[in-house]
Amino acid sequence: MATPFMTMKSVPGGMSERLDLFFAGLGQGFNAYTLRRARMREIQNLNACSDAQLARMGLTREDIPGYVFRDLFN
C-alpha cells in the first residue's frame, strides 16, 4: 500500500541496477570530495603553524602530508 508521500513504480529490467550504480557512484564521489576538503583544510591549518608549534607536535613541514594522510599509508 502506497503512502501519500511515496509511490512505487516499476522500471524496465536493468534500469534499476543502473540507477543504483549511478547513485552509489555519485555518493562515493561526494564522500571523496568532502574527505579531500577536510584533509586539505588540515594541511592548511598545520602549514599555518610556526616551526616551533609543529616541533611541539613532533612534526616538521615535510611531515605534514604524511601526517594528514597517515591512515592511508600505515
Side-chain angles (χ1 to χ4, degrees):
M1 179 174 187
T3 66
F5 301 104
M6 181 176 80
T7 58
M8 300 295 290
K9 292 187 179 184
S10 174
V11 293
M15 179 62 77
S16 179
E17 290 84 9
R18 288 196 303 251
L19 285 172
D20 286 346
L21 288 174
F22 171 77
F23 286 115
L26 187 64
Q28 288 175 354
F30 182 76
N31 288 339
Y33 170 75
T34 57
L35 289 172
R36 185 179 74 235
R37 279 188 54 157
R39 289 178 195 259
M40 289 306 295
R41 195 173 315 116
E42 186 176 1
I43 287 173
Q44 290 170 341
N45 289 340
L46 288 170
N47 210 28
C49 292
S50 69
D51 289 339
Q53 290 171 312
L54 290 172
R56 282 193 294 273
M57 293 186 283
L59 297 172
T60 64
R61 294 209 181 275
E62 293 78 28
D63 296 332
I64 291 173
Y67 176 76
V68 171
F69 292 95
R70 64 193 174 278
D71 61 316
L72 299 177
F73 299 112
N74 287 333

